[in-house]
Amino acid sequence: MIYHGIRMKLRAGVTSQQIDEALDCLKDQGLAIPAVKSFIFGREYNSDFDWSAVFALEDLDAYWEYLIHPVHVTSERVGFPLIEKFESFDISDTPHPELGAKIAELQKRHYEADPGLAELLSGLDSHTGSSAPAHRS
């Protein structure tokens, strides 16, 4: 199982309506994407991030299905313009020596296939983790 997590700090001036729309998108990802086995999202406390989510995915095929699913892509299009600081991470309970590299490759393929998403992502003030360009190169 791969647990894909994201952490977000919102830009100043984001409205409550924009936040609600972005959170609805996160909820939709968990409910509508068949590859997601379980999920949680909510406010993050006692850190420099505002919101976080974790999606449980069975394997790399499910991870790819999650990345390219239209609901996930919509969530990225809605959310990225609102985010100042973004971090993605992956945890797995199955040891696999090349899992990190394989996840980074999936992330790279996802953003190469959609230059518009890659452009939105590049507009973030801070971007670290498995979806960051340093991991996708």
Side-chain angles (χ1 to χ4, degrees):
M1 190 69 69
I2 301 168
Y3 300 88
H4 174 62
I6 57 173
R7 304 173 80 197
M8 301 158 283
K9 179 176 181 69
L10 301 177
R11 295 184 184 281
V14 172
T15 68
S16 59
Q17 183 179 4
Q18 289 172 306
I19 293 169
D20 289 346
E21 182 182 8
L23 293 177
D24 285 346
C25 286
L26 284 176
K27 182 178 179 181
D28 290 346
Q29 283 181 215
L31 295 174
I33 301 174
V36 174
K37 297 301 177 196
S38 65
F39 70 102
I40 185 171
F41 71 94
R43 183 162 284 285
E44 187 169 323
Y45 298 96
N46 302 318
S47 79
D48 194 33
F49 292 94
D50 299 315
W51 297 93
S52 294
V54 176
F55 299 91
L57 307 162
E58 188 105 14
D59 54 24
L60 288 168
D61 290 335
Y63 198 105
W64 180 245
E65 180 185 334
Y66 162 83
L67 283 177
I68 63 169
H69 194 282
V71 171
H72 176 255
V73 173
T74 296
S75 186
E76 290 175 310
R77 290 192 193 291
V78 169
F80 287 155
L82 311 179
I83 298 171
E84 173 185 317
K85 181 177 178 180
F86 183 75
E87 177 180 76
S88 61
F89 61 93
D90 300 286
I91 302 167
S92 180
D93 57 0
T94 305
H96 188 296
E98 294 181 25
L99 185 62
K102 289 180 182 290
I103 289 170
E105 181 58 32
L106 293 179
Q107 291 279 3
K108 179 180 176 185
R109 280 178 42 207
H110 173 55
Y111 293 115
E112 284 178 348
D114 192 331
L117 280 180
E119 185 177 335
L120 286 174
L121 200 59
S122 71
L124 300 174
D125 295 345
S126 174
H127 179 201
T128 58
S130 59
S131 66
H135 287 91
R136 297 189 322 244
S137 55

